[in-house]
Amino acid sequence: MLEFPTISFALGSLTERVDARLAAWDGEDFGARMWARDHTLWSREPIPELTNRLGWLWLPGETGQVAGIEQFAAEVRHEADRVVLLGMGGSSLAPEVYQATFGNDDGYPELQVLDSTHPEAVRGAEAMLDPVRTLFVVASKSGGTIETLSLFRYFWRWMSDAVGQPGERFVAFTDPGSGLEALGRERGFRRIFPTPPDVGGRYSALTPFGLVPAALIGMDVRRLLRSAAAMAEACGAPVPPSANPGLRLAAAMGEAALAGRDKLTYVCSPALEAFGGWVEQLIAESTGKQGKGVVPVVGEPLGDPGVYSDDRVFASMTLDGEDSSGQDAALALLEAAGHPVIRIVLHDLYDLGAEMFRSEMAVAAAGSILGINPFDQPDVQVAKDLTKRAMSAEGLDVAIDEVSTGRPDELADRLGEWIGTLRAGGYIAIHAYLPMDGPATPVLEQLVATLRDRYRAAATLGFGPRFLHSTGQLHKGGAGNGLFLQFVDTPARDLEVPEAGFDFGKLIEGQAAGDYQALAGRRRRVLRVRLGEDPEAGVAMVRDIVTAVA
């Protein structure tokens, strides 16, 4: 049997209730029922997004598509220096993990993920590209994602101005029968990879959404699938839940949330740091609904025990052989202070396949503990609808309330009022509608650390519109214990979206406005800050005010 990542649990006061959950699952034959697609684990009614969203369970063993993927990767290997993935949410996060973790092998193109609609982000990506040496991947399960199609239209015109047959430089991943499939055929895309309809986007790391980009950068996709298959076997139908590594993680995750420890903090060693962005979406979009949810916290440098409240669980991920002594020492202090700690050790980087499968099973099963459907995302659509309305002639029904960094006294008053509504067990989420790699990013990260240390509350950072397709579901559908700080700017230079009748600036402004209205409509505590011409200085002003607030 293949080796797969080890996992150990130091759950402290949670141990008894987690053991009880696993014993109950043993008696209910939970694991076998899950593999049998038994919808009653989550709902009495056989609703479609339960009965037709469990195809990911069998993906590790479905290797029939691999030869074709490998052949395509070999075909384009010497034709491109860069592969640009135009996607959003689940269609883009696993490829980003693969590039960040493995890099591109010698002689293979580098993968660049573009999932921002900020004009400066689009312009920055364009500046790095040579049309003759670039391959675009257009990824959308539904085929109608506005961000993905807007980016496609922009780069289609860009490529059309440079080469005679632009379709040869485009590839699509989408469900059969989607609008993107029709568009790709109409415009002569080089290849259209069908994606399995019974696998949701955030569970798609081992579908063509993840495997094709992995092969394009030179990864051994067969080895990745073998790793996942080893975990799938260990989590198989005959295995009792108490011995099932995926269900043991599920029990810890779900029972911790019921006990008030609903902030699951992933602490990844440097080699595995990118995993956090993928697992963040998986957890937040799967569990954050019906007033419940697990809040994933990723990318947070560990602090002293004194900066944490008793709402945390820490999940450590390290790579065997990598120096993680500092991380281990910090976790030992947290464990001694009474915080539950889960330790996961990968033997090599390809163990990511196994860990992705384990995480998917754990999150899906934790949904049963919370009493929610882990495969739908009802509140994501609300923000999409409000975005369209914000961009329309009639606009939103309610004016957007915002404060500007150009009025520092008013900003200080509003920030004080906003942070004063934080309650025990709450968390703070920063929504930055700014370029992810822009000059304001380091200051945003400082602000996150300041908020955590100052108020002993979990603080997270999301960039719009990316987070709308991940943590956005949790923010609107979860427990209602979050405070939300939205940053918007006014780009100095806009970019037209061809064939669309709007610019990227209008799109991202509409997305921010729609998200604000969706949060306000659910009585979430949201403060919107308009940054000046220098977003870095504007965020720094907010950081300094927060530090000084009594």
Side-chain angles (χ1 to χ4, degrees), residues 216-258:
L216 288 173
I217 63 173
M219 282 179 59
D220 184 343
V221 294
R222 294 180 187 272
R223 185 175 174 186
L224 186 73
L225 287 170
R226 285 198 301 270
S227 167
M231 182 62 74
E233 181 180 348
C235 299
V239 180
S242 55
N244 181 314
L247 295 183
R248 288 188 65 83
L249 180 57
M253 188 182 301
E255 290 297 333
L258 292 184

Side-chain angles (χ1 to χ4, degrees), residues 426-450:
Y427 69 98
I428 303 166
I430 297 174
H431 297 169
Y433 285 85
L434 304 170
M436 282 180 274
D437 56 355
T441 298
V443 191
L444 286 165
E445 292 170 346
Q446 293 169 12
L447 175 58
V448 169
T450 298

Side-chain angles (χ1 to χ4, degrees), residues 402-404 407-415:
E402 68 179 28
V403 60
S404 169
R407 304 178 66 176
D409 291 341
E410 180 185 2
L411 177 61
D413 290 342
R414 295 287 298 278
L415 280 167

Side-chain angles (χ1 to χ4, degrees), residues 388-396 506:
K388 292 179 182 178
R389 187 169 182 83
M391 295 173 65
S392 68
E394 62 267 24
L396 293 171
K506 183 176 182 179

Side-chain angles (χ1 to χ4, degrees), residues 118 120 405 432-435 438-441 443-444 487-492 529-542:
H118 195 286
E120 289 303 320
T405 53
Y433 285 85
L434 304 170
T441 298
V443 191
L444 286 165
F487 287 116
V488 293
D489 70 349
T490 304
V529 178
R530 174 73 60 177
L531 301 172
E533 295 181 358
D534 185 348
E536 181 181 5
V539 176
M541 178 187 295
V542 171

Side-chain angles (χ1 to χ4, degrees), residues 317-331:
M317 278 187 62
T318 58
L319 180 66
D320 195 16
E322 185 181 20
D323 182 8
S324 60
S325 55
Q327 180 173 320
D328 294 341
L331 286 166

Side-chain angles (χ1 to χ4, degrees), residues 271-314:
L272 305 171
E273 187 175 3
F275 181 83
W278 177 83
V279 81
E280 178 184 47
Q281 186 205 16
L282 178 68
I283 294 169
E285 197 169 35
S286 296
T287 69
K289 56 201 76 171
Q290 297 179 27
K292 306 170 185 177
V294 176
V295 179
V297 182
V298 303
E300 177 187 72
L302 282 175
D304 295 329
V307 302
Y308 297 107
S309 298
D310 59 359
D311 57 354
R312 298 272 192 149
V313 174
F314 293 91

